[in-house]
Amino acid sequence: MNTKQIGFIGGGNMASSLIGGLVSNGYPADKLTVVDLDSEKLSYLNQTFGVNTLQDSKELATKADVLVLAIKPQHMQSVAQDLGQAIQDKSPVVVSIAAGIRVEALDRWLGGHVPIVRCMPNTPALVKTGATGLYANAQVTENQKDLVESLLRAVGVTVWVEEEHELDAVTALSGSGPAYFFMIMEALEAAGIKAGLSQKTAQLLTQETALGAAKMALESSEPASVLRQRVTSPGGTTERAIGILEEQGLRDILQAALLGAKERSIELSDELGNN
């Protein structure tokens, strides 16, 4: 992989995170190039990571072996159509991290028969603890899949899905998921304050408890249900709290929220891919 040229169109937070992860893992900075209309972003990325910068997307498309489209979904069609001929000439594997843009639409905008990997990363990628779902179309080779997986693993774990529609569920679970946990953390912190703790203490205990629970789940071979049961002593404080959460329908609420997010992901894909 270290001989491949990787290009980024868009130098925002996610691109910056991927670049930082690659460089910290030893990927040669001179094999990374970024295009962005914002010269300040380009200057920052060049000075921070030593990567190459350009302001011409077409020029980058003629050089890259892997081309990452790290732009907003509403801009994808115009950018892709502008790059179409260059992509057809060079035939890099195109990696899209834009939510809601289906492979069929992107392939059509790029001129057809383009190797495309669609990714759904999440914001913890910014601190190298991301979770990314990936889907490849039939034009992507096994070597290209390995390349893209190595790229995304620089900022966390990766999971391939067999069918593109599964990315709607990935979006609902891990893509939107950090917001669910932040909201739970908000609520726990507020409850801690109401129970008599200072804001600073409630916040610290909430954050460390969330981190510790996640770390235990990651390092254990047991499912979350078993870990929960081990913390829940009969007749104890945790059992009473869990009973109240069950009575209030926490599971049903979370399921409804996730399915609602999935439905909205499908709607957005329909809206964005109709042109």
Side-chain angles (χ1 to χ4, degrees), residues 100-207:
I101 303 294
R102 293 194 182 111
V103 166
E104 181 278 328
L106 182 55
D107 184 58
R108 174 162 33 90
W109 298 334
L110 290 170
H113 303 289
V114 176
I116 297 172
V117 175
R118 181 181 165 196
C119 304
M120 186 62 237
N122 62 6
T123 54
L126 301 176
V127 290
K128 298 190 176 79
T129 53
T132 302
L134 306 115
Y135 168 77
N137 68 358
Q139 282 69 44
V140 179
T141 67
E142 288 301 316
N143 284 339
Q144 288 173 329
K145 286 183 70 173
D146 289 343
L147 272 173
V148 175
E149 184 171 346
S150 297
L151 168 65
L152 273 299
R153 286 183 66 184
V155 292
V157 300
T158 58
V159 177
W160 288 95
V161 298
E162 293 295 322
E163 303 292 338
E164 187 176 10
H165 67 80
E166 294 178 73
L167 286 182
D168 294 312
V170 171
T171 299
L173 179 57
S174 58
S176 299
Y180 313 155
F181 286 100
F182 291 144
M183 189 172 189
I184 290 170
M185 290 168 70
E186 276 185 87
L188 287 173
E189 183 182 326
I193 294 169
K194 193 167 186 178
L197 298 174
S198 69
Q199 188 275 334
K200 184 176 180 180
T201 297
Q203 181 182 57
L204 179 61
L205 290 176
T206 296
Q207 291 170 344

Side-chain angles (χ1 to χ4, degrees), residues 13-275:
N13 287 337
M14 195 59 71
S16 179
S17 174
L18 288 168
I19 290 166
L22 286 167
V23 171
S24 67
N25 287 347
Y27 201 87
D30 64 355
K31 299 292 185 181
L32 305 173
T33 305
V34 190
V35 166
D36 198 284
L37 296 177
D38 187 335
S39 58
E40 290 186 7
K41 282 184 182 178
L42 294 181
S43 178
Y44 167 79
L45 292 169
N46 173 258
Q47 293 175 14
T48 304
F49 302 114
V51 299
N52 305 307
T53 63
L54 288 172
Q55 291 189 314
D56 187 336
S57 298
K58 291 180 183 177
E59 182 181 351
L60 178 59
T62 63
K63 297 179 178 180
D65 299 296
V66 180
L67 188 65
V68 182
L69 302 182
I71 55 179
K72 294 184 184 300
Q74 58 267 35
H75 299 152
M76 184 64 82
Q77 181 177 358
S78 61
V79 170
Q81 289 175 334
D82 189 52
L83 291 173
Q85 189 57 57
I87 296 290
Q88 292 293 323
D89 292 341
K90 171 66 176 176
S91 194
V93 56
V94 174
V95 179
S96 170
I97 62 174
I101 303 294
R102 293 194 182 111
V103 166
E104 181 278 328
L106 182 55
D107 184 58
R108 174 162 33 90
W109 298 334
L110 290 170
H113 303 289
V114 176
I116 297 172
V117 175
R118 181 181 165 196
C119 304
M120 186 62 237
N122 62 6
T123 54
L126 301 176
V127 290
K128 298 190 176 79
T129 53
T132 302
L134 306 115
Y135 168 77
N137 68 358
Q139 282 69 44
V140 179
T141 67
E142 288 301 316
N143 284 339
Q144 288 173 329
K145 286 183 70 173
D146 289 343
L147 272 173
V148 175
E149 184 171 346
S150 297
L151 168 65
L152 273 299
R153 286 183 66 184
V155 292
V157 300
T158 58
V159 177
W160 288 95
V161 298
E162 293 295 322
E163 303 292 338
E164 187 176 10
H165 67 80
E166 294 178 73
L167 286 182
D168 294 312
V170 171
T171 299
L173 179 57
S174 58
S176 299
Y180 313 155
F181 286 100
F182 291 144
M183 189 172 189
I184 290 170
M185 290 168 70
E186 276 185 87
L188 287 173
E189 183 182 326
I193 294 169
K194 193 167 186 178
L197 298 174
S198 69
Q199 188 275 334
K200 184 176 180 180
T201 297
Q203 181 182 57
L204 179 61
L205 290 176
T206 296
Q207 291 170 344
E208 284 296 315
T209 301
L211 176 63
K215 188 172 176 62
M216 285 183 68
L218 280 168
E219 295 182 358
S220 174
S221 60
E222 303 285 1
S225 60
V226 172
L227 297 178
R228 173 182 55 78
Q229 289 165 7
R230 287 178 181 167
V231 182
T232 310
S233 302
T237 58
T238 308
E239 184 181 62
R240 178 168 296 186
I242 293 296
I244 292 170
L245 292 173
E246 294 282 17
E247 289 172 7
Q248 296 295 317
L250 177 65
R251 295 175 190 274
D252 291 339
I253 290 169
L254 289 174
Q255 180 174 297
L258 194 147
L259 293 177
K262 178 185 175 183
E263 182 180 349
R264 183 56 181 152
S265 176
I266 295 169
E267 291 171 356
L268 287 171
S269 293
D270 290 340
E271 292 169 12
L272 291 166
N274 277 337
N275 296 324

